[in-house]
Amino acid sequence: MENLNSLSPIQNERMTCYGGVAAAAALPSPPPTTLTTLPSSPCNTFVREVGSGGAEDPNTVVKQSVDGFKWRLLVSYDGTHFKGWQFQQTPPTIQCILEKALTRATKLERKDLHLVGASRTDGGVHAWGQVAHFITPFNYDSLDSIHAALNGLLPPDIRVREISAAVPEFHARFSAKGKIYHYKIYNDAIMDPFQRLYAYHVTHKLNAAVMREAANHFIGTHDFSAFGNSSRNDGMPNPVKTIFRFDIVNMVIKSHNNLAPKDGLLSLICPFHCH
């Protein structure tokens, strides 16, 4: 999943997560985003009062609550050993581990950090650049030290790729403009053990041409109410989404013994707009 996430009124950022049916797909690393650090200034955390439609009700009131300095993170991780993003202690999640590192690096309590991620992810999902933000009551003249400290405190399967100052209006979740979901399918009778954590295994032969034809029916603007969780009754504010691309790509895997390359990996890429 790749999010198109707005950093400020004049900058746009792409946040990338990779999710699969059983495990997520790791893509070749795209070039890192060039980002200019914004000047720090006191800001406010924006919280939403829950209306009748739930936390994302379009009619909810946004109010300022916590003074501080807002910082934007771009986080990359292998999600194999984590139960997704959302905070919980056991089994561990990305937010839980990241908050522990932040509390040690900033000497603040978890409740004071107000760490927010761009979106939740399922267990086993990997990310190239998931956007998050947190708050501190103090400013940093330089971000090099805390950047190095965070990566020194985090396990090797989680890394903060970027840290920068954010404008007060920025919100990692509510500033998101779109997402890209990327899945990999390993299509062969025997699963490659080197792909098992990053692709879904399908043993019967798939017809990529027919899949591409079917994918065209998803492109456009559609109402996805049927895919909502009606049991939660959380009032999805706008179930209408626009899918502007759905690619089915045959990928060639280079064999591990340096012999002939082998077909058998399908990559499904589906971007859509959140609003």
Side-chain angles (χ1 to χ4, degrees), residues 37 40 69-75 98-108 113 115 133-154 158-165:
T37 301
S40 298
F69 296 87
K70 186 174 287 185
W71 309 99
R72 172 191 165 280
L73 301 174
L74 196 63
V75 186
L98 185 55
E99 283 183 344
K100 287 181 178 179
L102 280 168
T103 56
R104 292 184 63 184
T106 64
K107 311 301 183 186
L108 297 173
L113 289 167
L115 178 66
H133 77 257
F134 69 98
I135 305 290
T136 61
F138 45 78
N139 193 10
Y140 286 101
D141 294 330
S142 172
L143 296 175
D144 292 342
S145 295
I146 186 173
H147 194 178
L150 287 174
N151 283 329
L153 292 166
L154 289 167
I158 304 176
R159 280 293 172 267
V160 173
R161 289 177 46 220
E162 298 176 6
I163 179 171
S164 58

Side-chain angles (χ1 to χ4, degrees), residues 211-271:
M211 292 173 67
R212 290 188 189 98
E213 183 178 350
N216 289 329
H217 294 287
F218 288 88
I219 298 174
T221 301
H222 307 282
D223 188 332
F224 288 90
S225 297
F227 294 88
N229 188 344
S230 58
S231 63
R232 289 181 54 187
N233 193 29
D234 54 5
M236 183 187 302
N238 183 12
V240 177
K241 308 296 180 185
T242 300
I243 296 177
F244 55 91
R245 201 176 91 225
F246 196 153
D247 300 334
I248 310 294
V249 181
N250 285 94
M251 303 179 69
V252 177
I253 305 170
K254 186 176 180 181
S255 60
H256 302 291
N257 58 6
N258 293 322
L259 298 178
K262 179 179 181 180
D263 292 320
L265 197 63
L266 285 175
S267 180
L268 284 65
I269 308 172
C270 181

Side-chain angles (χ1 to χ4, degrees), residues 21-44:
V21 178
L27 293 176
S29 299
T33 303
T34 300
L35 181 70
T36 302
T37 301
L38 302 177
S40 298
S41 59
C43 64
N44 295 277

